[in-house]
Amino acid sequence: MSIVRIGIVGIGNMGTSHARYIAAGEVAGAELAAVCDISTERLLWAKEQFGQQLQTFETVDAMLDSGAVDAIMICNLHFDHPGTSMKAFARGIHVLCEKPAGVYTKQVREMNEAAEKSDVKFAMMFNQRTNPLYIKLKDLIASGELGEIRRTNWIITTWYRTQSYYDSGNWRATWAGEGGGVLLNQCPHQLDLWQWIVGMMPTRVRAFCSFGKYRDIEVEDEVTAYVEYPNGATGVFITTTGETPGTNRFEITGDRGKVVIEDGKLTFWRLRVSEPEFNKNAKTGFGQPECWKIDVPVAAGPNQHKAVTQNWVDAIRKGTPLVAPGQEGINGLTLSNAMYLSAWTDNWADLPLDEDRFHELLQERIASSRFKK
């Protein structure tokens, strides 16, 4: 395939952002062929912005059946991501899906199974996987430089949102409209990176969520979660949309040192000998291993959204391995689903997740939501 004809489903904030760089010719081997939106106004706007040759559709089915697109980028509502993806898979149309993969893992698992049966390239827009800071951190862990992981800690509170933000759409921050709050809207990138970098999922999760603590919303706007890993390591994840100034600090401790990402820098405190080895040979009660503080050099990164889109197009045209395979979207979603389930039941949530129980409790909240589709 010489040119991949891309259609965008949902021409809101993210859809428009993707449309601009594709239409500008900034993705080699791709062209913006069509957009789909339920708003006639937005479709007219898209034609004005990107040219009268752009095809516009009011329904996903009409776009997929038109023959106008080889691939689609999904930027519609969270609940619709799996269904839209599966319609494309059934027609042999490639998919790049905005985060999150969906609202509940039961739905996303069905999407993944459909993807496996198709012959298409399915990717998630996990653009932070192209950030050199996180690539380098993943490499340090995978290479064994940090030793065995003992603790992870991510404080990500730079998501400040005002009441005006939530009031900008009656679907926002509702169980029926978005399916969740800060965990599902703002934090999918961090939840994906957390498990991707560490290289393992927890065995159980205990979370404390505050719903509408800082704003007049139905869903969570503050979360503190504690996790336990198969090797005995522990982790903490803290986030909120109601705190300013915020912090973005990701710290991972292993038996050979500690790595911290904060303020755009990666710092590695490297032990000359591992902690278990030092402890085994220590003759005093208060000594510590020799430690070197290393400011790890990290190259400038690409435009992250564009980089993921280019990678997806290259996968379609050349068979390039995907940076963010679509089937991996379920991992971060499993973490957020587990946090909700733990908070709702005031108990531990074990992994593998009880998907039926989670779906049942989510449906109860959707039924009483103030947003009605």
Side-chain angles (χ1 to χ4, degrees), residues 302-346:
N303 177 303
Q304 296 172 9
H305 290 97
K306 196 190 307 181
V308 173
T309 305
Q310 184 68 70
N311 169 255
W312 173 58
V313 169
D314 289 345
I316 295 169
R317 295 177 63 231
K318 308 172 186 177
T320 304
L322 289 167
V323 169
Q327 287 86 346
E328 294 181 12
I330 198 170
N331 296 334
L333 185 66
T334 297
L335 294 175
S336 61
N337 279 190
M339 291 177 194
Y340 288 133
L341 184 59
S342 173
W344 291 341
T345 60
D346 193 24

Side-chain angles (χ1 to χ4, degrees), residues 36-104:
C36 170
D37 202 284
I38 59 174
S39 168
T40 304
E41 225 175 84
R42 292 301 295 168
L43 295 179
L44 291 172
W45 175 88
K47 272 191 174 288
E48 291 171 4
Q49 288 290 311
F50 305 118
Q52 293 304 306
Q53 80 286 350
L54 181 74
Q55 296 198 48
T56 58
F57 301 91
E58 294 182 355
T59 69
V60 171
D61 288 322
M63 175 190 275
L64 297 177
D65 291 336
S66 68
V69 300
D70 306 305
I72 60 169
M73 297 179 74
I74 296 176
C75 307
N76 52 7
L77 295 177
H78 299 163
F79 279 102
D80 296 332
H81 289 183
T84 304
S85 297
M86 287 188 283
K87 286 182 177 183
F89 299 153
R91 293 165 171 86
I93 292 173
H94 307 283
V95 171
L96 176 52
C97 184
E98 263 293 347
K99 54 80 178 171
V103 175
Y104 50 96

Side-chain angles (χ1 to χ4, degrees), residues 12-14 77-78 99 161-182 185-186 215-219 369-372:
N13 290 337
M14 288 311 305
L77 295 177
H78 299 163
K99 54 80 178 171
R161 297 292 187 271
T162 65
Q163 187 65 48
S164 179
Y165 165 83
Y166 294 115
D167 291 345
S168 65
N170 62 353
W171 52 273
R172 284 194 182 277
T174 62
W175 293 114
E178 288 196 282
V182 63
N185 194 328
Q186 284 80 30
R215 304 288 182 261
D216 180 20
I217 58 176
E218 296 178 0
V219 294
S369 175
R370 60 192 178 198
F371 176 72
K372 306 297 179 185

Side-chain angles (χ1 to χ4, degrees), residues 92-163:
I93 292 173
H94 307 283
V95 171
L96 176 52
C97 184
E98 263 293 347
K99 54 80 178 171
V103 175
Y104 50 96
T105 56
K106 191 173 182 178
Q107 177 190 41
V108 172
R109 193 172 303 283
E110 181 183 355
M111 174 181 70
N112 284 352
E113 289 169 358
E116 292 288 352
K117 294 174 184 175
S118 71
D119 188 28
V120 301
K121 298 299 181 183
F122 172 37
M124 287 296 302
M125 183 50 83
F126 287 143
N127 54 285
Q128 286 291 322
R129 288 194 183 192
T130 69
N131 186 326
L133 283 167
Y134 299 120
I135 292 173
K136 178 63 73 173
L137 176 55
K138 182 174 175 61
D139 177 61
L140 284 173
I141 292 171
S143 67
E145 280 286 330
L146 199 59
E148 185 176 17
I149 291 175
R150 292 183 162 185
R151 181 174 57 80
T152 70
N153 183 28
W154 203 332
I155 303 173
I156 173 66
T157 57
T158 53
W159 296 123
Y160 184 72
R161 297 292 187 271
T162 65
Q163 187 65 48

Side-chain angles (χ1 to χ4, degrees), residues 239-258:
T239 190
T240 180
T241 53
E243 181 179 303
T244 187
T247 296
N248 185 359
R249 178 184 172 93
F250 188 20
E251 177 175 316
I252 299 182
T253 299
D255 62 22
R256 293 196 63 88
K258 175 178 73 174

Side-chain angles (χ1 to χ4, degrees), residues 240-373:
T240 180
T241 53
E243 181 179 303
T244 187
T247 296
N248 185 359
R249 178 184 172 93
F250 188 20
E251 177 175 316
I252 299 182
T253 299
D255 62 22
R256 293 196 63 88
K258 175 178 73 174
V259 179
V260 174
I261 289 181
E262 189 171 21
D263 298 329
K265 297 178 181 178
L266 193 158
T267 307
F268 182 16
W269 282 267
R270 187 180 189 277
L271 302 180
R272 286 202 68 187
V273 298
S274 71
E275 187 280 326
E277 183 181 348
F278 178 83
N279 179 62
K280 180 180 178 181
N281 298 313
K283 304 303 181 186
T284 64
F286 298 96
Q288 294 185 38
E290 183 178 341
C291 182
W292 300 338
K293 181 183 178 183
I294 305 167
D295 293 322
V296 180
V298 176
N303 177 303
Q304 296 172 9
H305 290 97
K306 196 190 307 181
V308 173
T309 305
Q310 184 68 70
N311 169 255
W312 173 58
V313 169
D314 289 345
I316 295 169
R317 295 177 63 231
K318 308 172 186 177
T320 304
L322 289 167
V323 169
Q327 287 86 346
E328 294 181 12
I330 198 170
N331 296 334
L333 185 66
T334 297
L335 294 175
S336 61
N337 279 190
M339 291 177 194
Y340 288 133
L341 184 59
S342 173
W344 291 341
T345 60
D346 193 24
N347 205 345
W348 287 94
D350 293 323
L351 298 185
L353 185 70
D354 185 343
E355 295 180 339
D356 290 330
R357 180 61 172 154
F358 175 81
H359 183 255
E360 175 191 349
L361 294 177
L362 175 64
Q363 293 306 310
E364 290 177 5
R365 283 154 181 81
I366 290 172
S368 61
S369 175
R370 60 192 178 198
F371 176 72
K372 306 297 179 185
K373 292 186 179 180

